[in-house]
Amino acid sequence: MHFQLLGPFRASHEGRQVLVDSRRQERCLLSILLLHAPRAVTTARLIDLLWSDAAPASARGTVHTYVGRLRARLSPLGVRVETRHDGYAVEPADHVVDAGEFVRLAARAEIAQDRTEQVRRYDEALALWQGQLLADLADDLLRERIGGHLTELRMRVLEQRAEAQLALGVHDRVVAELRDATRRHPERERLVAARMTALYRSDRQADALALYRETRGALVTEFGVEPGPELQRLHDRVLSGDPGLERRAAPVHAVRVRGEFLPWPTSGHPALEFCNTHAGWGGPPLPGSEWLRTYTTLAVWTGHLGLADEAAVSRLLEQAEESPDGAAAVLRETRQFRGSLYTCLTRPGDGAAFAAVSRAVEEASAGARFGLGPDGLARWRSSPAQGLRLPLGAVALSAAELLADPRRFTLRACPGADCGWLFLDESGRRRWCSVAGCEGSSSEESRSTPGSETSLDAQPKAE
């Protein structure tokens, strides 16, 4: 069975439409159960949704009758409606509900390995929408009550797809595809910003400014508010012809692996390379300073640095697709560990930072294995049993190795205000790192002129 809820209601079995002659409220009740599946919906809740404040005295019996009819029609087709306490639920089975597919595709798109794949999956997700949710069954109030989360997710997908398209340089698609959305939803300022940027990059500066004026007028008239500060700043940049709004080329200090941009290895040790996945340690975050943008990037980076083999990386990517929330949580924890490690290395006397690193190392060592690598050297390896946490465990073990190595006393930090990358310098002569760590923001002087050696004790504390 296939159920279409994202648009007019449709139910089909082996290509043939069913429930065409059923009552409108029966189809609406079934849709509510499908949107909540596999959770149950109480009879009281169904009555409230179907009749709102105008429920007849016979509403409970009517709901029971509707469910009986649906069971008679759907059970032979493999769809079961169960009674659970004082409510009903659609039993999980092989049937497909487009609303559930949309949520699944949106989650897969968010963790896609590269922008092209991400856009393709967002396109697949959005293509499922054939109109408003239950366009022929629900009014706006009911639609908001049972599917407000789907409508919000659809808008977020539009925003994220547009930003991915801008990164790929397909400005014409953004201009065309967001025309109606920005008019209907002036309050979605990310959509407006994406289309303004696309118009500007298409040499349509006047149209980008006109879109801002149109949006501002709608916000003031309909909502009584001015555009937010980010949209106002974008307007000012478009007005002044800021060249920074043009599409940025791929960073020259990067290597592309499995569709991910990763920083060039510069430091001489994996634990330092891990710290160098962030640039600008000495100041506020700048565009391009964060290299670990997604869990996918983290997993690919782990394989690129030799902390996990390719088979393990492939497993991690599959697990991240199956559990996007779990992957996002591990990414946050890994970034926090990176900050503690940077502080521990640049401020050796910081006891709190060392304690945080120590805890992560002890957790990682509990599931580690000791074996020979392809180069013939023995090393500790994180166990695949760690699942999504494998990259964190792998880098924690690498950090432990560095902290126990006398070479750590040759550690230097790039003095560039927008960099702060770490490297080993056993010669005692190297004063700056090989490349600028943050895209397009390091000063030319700090890139080309040897500065005085940076004292690690004077380094800013990582946040």
Side-chain angles (χ1 to χ4, degrees):
M1 283 287 294
H2 182 276
F3 295 98
Q4 174 185 297
L5 309 182
L6 304 179
F9 176 90
R10 297 285 186 275
S12 58
H13 178 70
E14 296 180 350
R16 177 177 60 87
Q17 286 198 36
V18 298
L19 302 180
V20 177
D21 57 346
S22 62
R23 295 171 182 261
R24 171 185 169 277
Q25 280 195 308
E26 286 180 16
R27 284 175 281 142
C28 192
L29 184 150
L30 174 61
S31 300
I32 294 169
L33 296 180
L34 289 169
L35 286 171
H36 286 80
R39 294 174 288 117
V41 183
T42 65
T43 302
R45 175 67 171 164
L46 289 170
I47 292 172
D48 179 48
L49 291 172
L50 292 173
W51 286 282
S52 189
D53 296 329
S58 60
R60 182 172 289 271
T62 302
V63 167
H64 182 72
T65 300
Y66 289 166
V67 171
R69 290 174 180 166
L70 289 170
R71 282 171 171 163
R73 300 286 296 275
L74 294 175
S75 292
L77 304 179
V79 180
R80 293 175 54 84
V81 180
E82 296 181 323
T83 300
R84 293 188 189 171
H85 305 295
D86 186 31
Y88 304 95
V90 174
E91 184 182 67
D94 293 335
H95 56 266
V96 176
V97 182
D98 61 353
E101 286 295 289
F102 169 68
V103 173
R104 183 183 66 82
L105 286 171
R108 287 170 61 90
E110 192 168 350
I111 60 172
Q113 293 186 36
D114 63 30
R115 293 291 193 182
T116 302
E117 178 69 6
Q118 190 176 50
V119 170
R120 184 184 68 79
R121 291 183 178 181
Y122 279 139
D123 286 343
E124 290 179 1
L126 290 169
L128 293 173
W129 287 80
Q130 301 300 309
Q132 289 185 307
L133 175 71
L134 299 177
D136 58 339
L137 299 181
D139 58 20
D140 289 342
L141 177 60
L142 178 59
R143 194 172 292 117
E144 176 61 29
R145 294 181 70 187
I146 64 177
H149 64 292
L150 291 172
T151 303
E152 172 61 24
L153 179 59
R154 183 187 187 186
M155 298 306 297
R156 291 208 311 271
V157 166
L158 279 171
E159 292 165 348
Q160 292 162 351
R161 180 182 67 168
E163 290 165 359
Q165 289 170 329
L166 287 176
L168 290 172
V170 286
H171 320 313
D172 54 338
R173 281 193 61 184
V174 178
V175 169
E177 292 172 350
L178 295 190
R179 182 179 58 250
D180 293 337
T182 51
R183 290 174 180 168
R184 290 196 305 267
H185 300 280
E187 76 283 2
R188 305 298 298 206
E189 295 189 17
R190 279 180 68 185
L191 283 180
V192 176
R195 190 160 187 262
M196 281 181 63
T197 303
L199 286 166
Y200 180 82
R201 293 181 180 178
S202 302
D203 296 325
R204 296 171 61 182
Q205 182 184 27
D207 290 336
L209 294 172
L211 174 58
Y212 177 84
R213 291 193 299 271
E214 179 183 332
T215 301
R216 181 183 179 277
L219 290 175
V220 172
T221 303
E222 299 176 27
F223 302 96
V225 299
E226 291 284 344
E230 291 188 12
L231 195 60
Q232 291 183 34
R233 282 194 293 271
L234 176 60
H235 167 264
D236 293 342
R237 295 178 69 189
V238 171
L239 186 63
S240 64
D242 184 353
L245 286 177
E246 297 294 341
R247 182 193 176 202
R248 292 184 176 183
V252 297
H253 49 277
V255 58
R256 194 170 176 88
V257 182
R258 288 200 181 198
E260 296 290 325
F261 280 118
L262 307 176
W264 272 348
T266 62
S267 71
H269 196 280
L272 299 183
E273 299 296 353
F274 176 63
C275 290
N276 294 350
T277 58
H278 180 72
W281 286 105
L286 296 171
S289 63
E290 176 58 80
W291 291 84
L292 298 183
R293 296 168 295 278
T294 66
Y295 182 86
T296 296
T297 315
L298 172 63
V300 171
W301 177 88
T302 305
H304 181 59
L305 267 289
L307 300 177
D309 58 37
E310 289 303 302
V313 172
S314 296
R315 285 195 302 271
L316 290 172
L317 298 179
E318 292 173 359
Q319 291 167 0
E321 286 199 359
E322 295 169 359
S323 178
D325 290 343
V330 172
L331 177 62
R332 288 193 297 270
E333 187 179 356
T334 303
R335 287 175 174 173
Q336 291 171 356
F337 175 77
R338 181 181 60 186
S340 297
L341 178 59
Y342 189 92
T343 303
C344 185
L345 292 170
T346 57
R347 293 182 179 271
D350 193 311
F354 183 83
V357 172
S358 178
R359 285 193 298 272
V361 170
E362 290 172 358
E363 291 176 5
S365 62
R369 298 175 179 175
F370 191 68
L372 287 174
D375 55 2
L377 298 176
R379 57 177 59 87
W380 288 101
R381 288 283 190 180
S382 293
S383 168
Q386 289 187 323
L388 291 169
R389 292 176 60 82
L390 187 148
L392 175 56
V395 79
L397 293 174
S398 179
E401 176 191 84
L402 177 62
L403 290 172
D405 190 331
R407 289 190 303 158
R408 68 161 294 188
F409 297 120
T410 70
L411 188 63
R412 299 290 182 270
C414 178
D418 297 334
C419 185
W421 276 11
L422 304 177
F423 54 88
L424 295 175
D425 179 21
E426 297 181 63
S427 70
R429 296 180 179 179
R430 192 175 180 213
R431 310 298 189 189
W432 64 97
C433 64
S434 303
V435 296
C438 26
E439 182 179 345
S441 61
S442 292
S443 66
E444 291 302 319
E445 181 179 357
S446 66
R447 291 186 191 184
S448 58
T449 304
S452 59
E453 181 175 307
T454 301
S455 169
L456 294 181
D457 290 337
Q459 286 295 303
K461 185 175 181 179
E463 296 181 356

